[in-house]
């Protein structure tokens, strides 16, 4: 591993922060923390922590000796000074004389002694940093170090690798007891330059930021060099089918299998992130991959990301792909059953009241293909995949020098179900559409963009499909929540299929279709040429059918139901003069929505329509408004507000109707009118 310290960069950061009143100590602490946090083989997504002992002034001007330590929720790779809250050091040191200190009291002690009361909670390992006397302390979960400590004989192996330069601390769950034990190990031999924590990671320390950082990189390199020199031959490879199915074949099946059933056709869905590389495939093609996966996580911190460890599937044979859905479901059921047993057996050991987390895997390994990370959001799914890559590296290293034996699941349980994590989970309320994927056609137009934004605001990831790729991308950016835009001619069945395949590739599947795209042609029906009418049918009917077919194809593979929503326009039931080329295919689309409700209701797929009228959009342009108002002999304002409420209806109003249908779990074959009130267009 390369040492990235650069004197020039360090001094520049010190100077930049000095202008903002940040001390040299804290600026250098930020600098090396970012160096460590930018290397995934050391820390991932909030893991690891660093500290420095310095001085700080409180709100009334009193100066204190403090420990600036990484705060909860901060990523080391992008940390700022406020991500290292200052805690009064004297109170922390006094705590060492206590015989015991609960996690809740430890957090209260740390918060009570913050210089800035608005700071984030200091790290759970704050006391360990405090009890070590050095000015700078670094802690990471290096995969190379984990390869050494994830062994049955980890203490002897650590002595062989590091000699007397590193202290060894037997596994203890992070918190007060670990802090005291680590300090005792250091004081037994104050010449050590760091501590190796069994099944956990590494601490290094120094009198300045550079020394602590240099030591971290040095001892990680010692571990990497040892693995490189003493690595044994790789294990036997599994026999793969002659023709493998693809990730696209598997993704909807797998995503449906890991959805959490809530009864009565309701599901908490997951987003899936597929990840592959030569290194990933080479490792998971091992004949022992299921064994490795069953042993657990490489460091306990990963349990909040991938639970008790990955799930391994058999390689998917393309010739038997029709049977593979049941193979996936049987493996998921087995994983969930084992997880429930893990929870029940460990939860019953004391009287603490806990809420079991959902039992679904968060990382799935597929020989020959790669791996899928699962999460309630795309961010969580990607984190699971990132963790999976580092899990592979740690296990590969452990197997190279010995036998991968991580922390037992019984010892893992107290950390996964740490009381403070439980409190966080209880307060974390998902949004109504969290975990769901919506595909919106005509997504860059007024109604489509408003709908995509509203759905994203309610937790969904949006796939915005539009003929103009640039506008689709911009609409996705405005929608937020990792939405994507795709340029697509929806009248081309091949391009429509590709858009849905892209949704599967990025998110794992599709749960909601908003088939919204359309365009209008004017003229008396008897005077229209066939080409114009056929062109309108291609866009205003057949494109809706194509979108629905693709959505249903994916929804049936997922097996978790879904929602088809069609923008059919009031023209479907209340035609306007010279608007037949638009209204006739829209009428067909309205009945198309009902046919889907009829044919696929038994599969939990709902189908509804929204009849909107007079919405300013790419279809109803200023020129069209002038034309239509003229045809009716009214002013433009009267035309746009010509309804029972006397108010103009907006794209946001239509978006609200689509959202209503997405959430109305017991409504199908319905038509909702969004026009401010038009008795002639009322269906009932």
């Amino acid at each position: 591993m390369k040492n990235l310290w650069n004197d020039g960069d360090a001094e520049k950061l010190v100077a930049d922060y000095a202008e903002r009143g940040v001390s040299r100590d804290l600026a250098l602490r930020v600098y090396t923390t970012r160096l460590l946090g930018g290397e995934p083989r050391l820390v991932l997504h909030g893991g690891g922590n660093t500290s420095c002992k310095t001085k700080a002034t409180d709100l009334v001007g009193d100066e204190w000796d403090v420990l600036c330590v990484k705060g909860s929720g901060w990523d080391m790779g992008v940390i700022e000074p406020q991500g290292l809250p200052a805690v009064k050091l004297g109170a922390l040191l006094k705590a060492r004389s206590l015989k015991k200190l609960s996690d809740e009291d430890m957090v209260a002690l740390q918060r009570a002694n913050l210089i800035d009361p608005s700071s984030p909670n200091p790290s759970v390992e704050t006391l360990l940093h405090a009890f070590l006397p050095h000015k700078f302390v670094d802690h990471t979960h290096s995969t190379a170090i984990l390869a050494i400590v994830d062994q049955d004989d980890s203490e002897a192996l650590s002595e062989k690798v590091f000699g007397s330069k590193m202290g060894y601390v037997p596994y203890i769950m992070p918190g007060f007891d670990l802090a005291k034990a680590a300090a005792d190990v250091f004081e037994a031999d104050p010449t050590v330059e760091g501590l190796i924590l069994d099944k956990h990671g590494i601490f290094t320390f120094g009198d300045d930021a550079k020394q602590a950082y240099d030591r971290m990189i040095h001892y990680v390199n010692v571990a990497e060099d040892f693995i490189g020199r003493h690595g044994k031959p790789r294990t036997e490879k599994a026999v793969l089918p002659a023709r493998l199915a693809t990730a696209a074949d598997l993704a909807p099946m797998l995503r449906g299998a890991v959805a959490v059933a809530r009864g009565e056709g309701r599901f908490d869905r997951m987003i899936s992130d597929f990840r592959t590389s030569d290194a990933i495939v080479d490792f998971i093609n091992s004949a022992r991959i299921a064994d490795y996966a069953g042993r657990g996580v490489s460091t306990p911190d990963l349990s909040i990301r991938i639970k008790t460890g990955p799930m391994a599937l058999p390689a998917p044979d393309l010739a038997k792909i029709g049977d593979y859905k049941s193979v996936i479901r049987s493996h998921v059921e087995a994983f969930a059953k084992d997880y429930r047993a893990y929870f029940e057996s460990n939860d019953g050991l004391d009287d603490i009241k806990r809420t079991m987390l959902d039992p679904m895997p968060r990382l799935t390994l597929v020989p020959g293909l790669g791996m899928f990370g699962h999460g309630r959001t795309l961010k969580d799914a990607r984190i699971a995949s990132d963790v999976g890559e580092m899990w592979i590296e740690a296990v590969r290293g452990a197997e190279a020098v010995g036998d991968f034996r991580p922390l037992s699941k019984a010892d893992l349980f107290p950390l996964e179900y740490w009381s403070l994590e439980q409190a966080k989970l209880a307060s974390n309320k998902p949004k109504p559409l969290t975990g769901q994927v919506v595909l919106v056609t005509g997504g860059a137009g007024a109604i489509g963009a408003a709908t995509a934004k509203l759905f994203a605001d309610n937790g969904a990831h949006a796939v915005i499909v539009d003929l103009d790729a640039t506008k689709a991308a911009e609409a996705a950016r405005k929608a937020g929540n990792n939405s994507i835009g795709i340029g697509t001619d929806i009248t081309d069945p091949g391009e429509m299929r590709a858009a849905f395949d892209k949704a599967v590739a990025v998110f794992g599947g599709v749960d909601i279709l908003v088939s919204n795209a359309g365009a209008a042609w004017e003229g008396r029906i008897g005077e229209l040429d066939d080409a114009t009418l056929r062109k309108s049918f291609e866009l205003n009917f057949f494109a809706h059918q194509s979108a629905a077919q693709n959505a249903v194809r994916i929804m049936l593979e997922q097996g978790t139901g879904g929602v088809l929503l069609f923008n059919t326009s009031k023209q479907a039931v209340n035609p306007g003069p010279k608007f037949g080329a638009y209204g006739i295919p829209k009428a067909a689309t309205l009945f198309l929505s009902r046919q889907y409700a009829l044919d696929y209701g038994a599969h939990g797929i709902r189908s509804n329509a929204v009849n909107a009228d007079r919405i300013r959009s790419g279809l109803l342009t200023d020129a069209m408004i002038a034309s239509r108002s003229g045809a009716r002999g009214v002013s433009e304002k009267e035309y746009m507000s010509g309804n029972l409420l006397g108010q103009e209806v907006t794209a946001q109003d239509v978006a609200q109707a689509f959202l209503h249908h997405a959430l109305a779990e017991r409504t199908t074959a319905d038509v909702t009118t969004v026009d401010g009130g038009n008795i002639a267009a009322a269906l009932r």
Side-chain angles (χ1 to χ4, degrees):
M1 182 172 293
K2 186 177 180 181
N3 187 313
L4 299 177
W5 176 281
N6 180 283
D7 288 336
D9 291 344
E11 291 305 322
K12 184 178 185 304
L13 193 66
V14 169
D16 289 345
Y17 276 127
E19 294 178 0
R20 300 182 233 173
V22 177
S23 70
R24 180 179 182 84
D25 285 345
L26 187 52
L28 289 174
R29 178 68 288 173
V30 169
Y31 175 67
T32 53
T33 301
R34 289 178 181 174
L35 295 184
L36 296 171
E39 173 50 73
R41 291 175 294 167
L42 295 178
V43 296
L44 277 177
H45 300 293
N49 39 72
T50 60
S51 71
C52 73
K53 298 175 180 72
T54 185
K55 293 184 180 293
T57 303
D58 66 16
L59 297 175
V60 296
D62 291 338
E63 187 176 70
W64 297 83
D65 290 325
V66 297
L67 177 77
C68 292
V69 63
K70 197 200 86 168
S72 176
W74 277 87
D75 187 324
M76 287 171 60
V78 294
I79 203 162
E80 294 287 347
Q82 59 266 36
L84 291 150
V87 192
K88 296 172 184 175
L89 186 57
L92 300 180
L93 295 176
K94 190 174 181 179
R96 191 175 174 191
S97 64
L98 300 174
K99 291 185 178 179
K100 61 180 181 178
L101 186 66
S102 70
D103 291 333
E104 290 78 7
D105 287 344
M106 178 183 70
V107 171
L109 170 69
Q110 293 169 183
R111 285 213 63 82
N113 286 281
L114 285 167
I115 292 295
D116 181 353
S118 66
S119 296
N121 280 340
S123 166
V124 66
E125 288 166 324
T126 292
L127 292 181
L128 199 163
H129 285 262
F131 293 170
L132 294 171
H134 306 81
K135 188 174 182 67
F136 287 82
V137 179
D138 296 350
H139 170 48
T140 75
H141 304 140
S142 157
T143 55
I145 298 297
L146 294 173
I148 304 301
V149 297
D150 283 344
Q151 306 284 341
D152 283 335
D153 62 343
S154 56
E155 184 170 9
L157 186 57
S158 294
E159 172 67 23
K160 181 178 180 180
V161 175
F162 305 109
S164 61
K165 289 291 188 178
M166 297 291 284
Y168 176 87
V169 184
Y171 179 77
I172 301 173
M173 180 178 165
F176 178 67
D177 292 339
L178 175 60
K180 291 188 71 170
D184 289 344
V185 169
F186 170 76
E187 290 177 355
D189 183 2
T191 67
V192 298
E193 297 177 349
L195 300 172
I196 300 296
L197 275 58
D198 191 31
K199 316 300 186 208
H200 184 157
I202 177 176
F203 276 80
T204 57
F205 25 74
D207 297 329
D208 57 52
K210 186 175 188 303
Q211 185 180 51
Y213 173 76
D214 286 346
R215 286 175 172 175
M216 177 64 70
I217 302 304
H218 169 71
Y219 286 108
V220 168
N221 281 331
V222 168
E224 290 182 347
D225 291 345
F226 180 86
I227 295 168
R229 292 195 314 271
H230 297 84
K232 61 189 179 185
R234 294 182 179 179
T235 59
E236 178 185 356
K237 298 297 182 184
V239 177
L240 300 180
R243 293 181 64 205
L244 287 164
T246 67
D249 295 326
L250 270 58
M253 301 178 191
L254 180 56
R255 182 167 177 260
V258 301
V260 180
R262 296 301 185 195
E264 295 293 323
R266 295 181 173 93
F267 298 89
D268 288 344
R269 295 173 174 87
M270 301 278 188
I271 302 299
S272 293
D273 172 63
F274 179 67
R275 190 79 55 88
T276 191
S277 69
D278 290 344
I280 291 171
V281 172
D282 178 69
F283 181 79
I284 62 179
N285 282 357
S286 166
R288 299 174 63 190
I289 191 60
D291 177 29
Y292 297 152
R295 295 183 197 178
V297 293
S298 52
T299 182
D301 300 68
L302 300 189
S303 63
I304 64 172
R305 302 298 190 186
I306 59 169
K307 307 184 84 65
T308 55
M311 175 180 75
L313 295 176
D317 188 341
L318 183 61
K320 301 177 181 178
I321 191 62
D323 301 326
Y324 200 70
K325 183 187 290 189
S326 62
V327 172
I328 291 174
R329 291 192 176 273
S330 67
H331 278 74
V332 171
E333 288 168 5
F335 185 98
K337 180 180 179 181
D338 288 346
Y339 187 86
R340 292 188 187 96
Y342 152 81
F343 176 82
E344 292 166 1
S345 61
N346 288 288
D347 184 53
L349 298 177
D350 55 38
D351 296 327
I352 297 173
K353 185 177 180 180
R354 301 179 181 90
T355 300
M356 190 184 82
L357 307 175
D358 78 74
M360 294 301 171
R362 291 301 192 273
L363 184 67
T364 299
L365 311 177
V366 187
L369 295 186
M371 62 186 181
F372 291 86
H374 311 294
R376 292 282 277 143
T377 66
L378 181 62
K379 178 182 176 181
D380 290 338
R382 286 173 173 170
I383 287 174
S385 294
D386 289 344
V387 167
E389 290 197 62
M390 293 306 102
W391 178 86
I392 286 172
E393 182 159 331
V395 178
R396 181 189 287 115
E399 285 292 305
V401 296
D403 194 25
F404 174 59
R405 295 296 170 187
L407 189 70
S408 72
K409 292 181 181 178
D411 287 327
L412 184 68
F413 183 81
L415 197 142
E416 185 181 2
Y417 283 89
W418 186 37
S419 59
L420 300 178
E421 287 293 335
Q422 286 275 288
K424 273 195 236 176
L425 289 168
S427 64
N428 182 22
K429 302 297 183 184
K431 294 181 178 181
L433 296 177
T434 293
Q436 299 200 50
V437 181
V438 58
L439 187 145
V440 185
T441 67
I447 293 174
T451 301
K453 178 71 167 63
L454 183 61
F455 276 56
D457 288 345
N458 280 271
H461 294 299
V463 179
I464 297 174
V465 175
D466 199 272
L467 185 61
D468 189 318
T470 301
K471 290 181 179 179
E474 178 61 14
R477 185 190 67 78
K478 290 180 178 179
N481 199 28
N482 289 305
S483 298
I484 62 171
I486 306 172
T488 303
D489 178 357
I490 63 171
T491 65
D492 182 325
E495 289 196 29
M496 182 74 88
R497 168 86 187 217
F500 278 86
D501 288 348
K502 181 68 173 179
V504 170
V506 176
F507 301 112
V510 173
D511 306 292
I512 305 165
L513 166 67
V514 179
S515 192
N516 165 72
W521 287 266
E522 290 187 276
R524 291 198 298 179
I525 191 66
E527 298 169 4
L528 282 176
D529 59 275
D530 284 354
T532 298
L533 190 58
R534 291 180 188 279
K535 186 175 181 180
S536 182
F537 261 92
E538 285 295 334
L539 179 59
N540 294 311
F541 173 76
F542 285 108
H544 291 278
Q545 161 68 344
S546 179
Q549 282 181 315
N550 277 283
V552 165
R553 166 177 61 86
I554 294 169
M555 291 171 183
L556 292 176
E557 290 291 346
Q558 292 171 164
T560 54
V563 189
L564 307 176
L565 302 175
F566 299 87
N567 186 344
T568 58
S569 170
K570 77 96 185 179
Q571 294 292 328
V573 295
N574 177 217
K578 300 181 182 180
F579 234 36
Y582 178 65
I584 294 170
K586 281 294 189 179
T589 298
L590 186 151
F591 281 87
L592 179 74
S593 74
R594 292 186 165 181
Q595 195 67 46
Y596 271 99
L598 180 64
D599 288 347
Y600 293 97
H603 298 278
I605 297 174
R606 298 185 291 111
S607 180
N608 296 297
V610 170
N611 281 352
D613 188 30
R614 301 185 193 180
I615 312 298
R616 293 182 187 272
S617 64
L619 188 153
L620 190 58
T621 61
D622 290 343
M624 181 71 76
I625 292 171
S627 173
R628 299 309 299 162
S629 60
R632 292 174 183 268
V634 298
S635 70
E636 292 182 18
K637 182 179 180 181
E638 289 172 327
Y639 176 74
M640 294 304 293
S641 59
N643 52 56
L644 298 179
L645 298 178
Q647 299 172 7
E648 182 173 341
V649 183
T650 69
Q652 284 70 29
D653 297 320
V654 183
Q656 286 286 350
F658 281 129
L659 179 63
H660 160 74
H661 277 304
L663 298 175
E665 295 177 334
R666 294 297 180 266
T667 299
T668 193
D670 185 44
V671 181
T672 295
T673 301
V674 186
D675 60 9
N678 178 356
I679 291 299
L683 293 175
R684 295 178 182 174

